[in-house]
Amino acid sequence: MDCALSPVQQRNLEKAWGAKVIDRTGLILEIFGRRASTREGTLQVEHAHLAYQKSRLVRSRWVQERTSRDFW
């Protein structure tokens, strides 16, 4: 996708299409990860990827807590 996707949007699209879906940031990180040729470059990409995943997990967790709190 050529835009940012929330974790929920990504999951729903993957279920609907039966294929892996990544947004622009995820694609960029994959490309840089494949092309990193030095140990330092690989670590920098890995750090960026983990920071990206962390922000998505935090948002996903927040949405789950908010949804369950509103439900009850």
Side-chain angles (χ1 to χ4, degrees), residues 32-49:
F32 274 87
R34 290 180 186 168
R35 294 181 178 229
S37 58
T38 65
R39 178 75 176 139
E40 182 181 0
T42 303
L43 288 173
Q44 287 176 344
V45 173
E46 185 177 347
H47 180 266
H49 187 71

Side-chain angles (χ1 to χ4, degrees), residues 3-58:
C3 59
L5 295 174
S6 73
V8 173
Q9 289 172 321
Q10 185 175 359
R11 185 188 69 227
N12 290 340
L13 289 171
E14 287 176 350
K15 283 182 181 178
W17 294 341
K20 182 179 177 181
V21 175
I22 58 175
D23 61 5
R24 172 179 266 177
T25 304
L27 177 62
I28 291 168
L29 288 171
E30 280 196 22
I31 291 170
F32 274 87
R34 290 180 186 168
R35 294 181 178 229
S37 58
T38 65
R39 178 75 176 139
E40 182 181 0
T42 303
L43 288 173
Q44 287 176 344
V45 173
E46 185 177 347
H47 180 266
H49 187 71
L50 290 172
Y52 171 71
Q53 286 181 327
K54 178 184 173 190
S55 69
R56 296 176 66 75
L57 289 172
V58 168

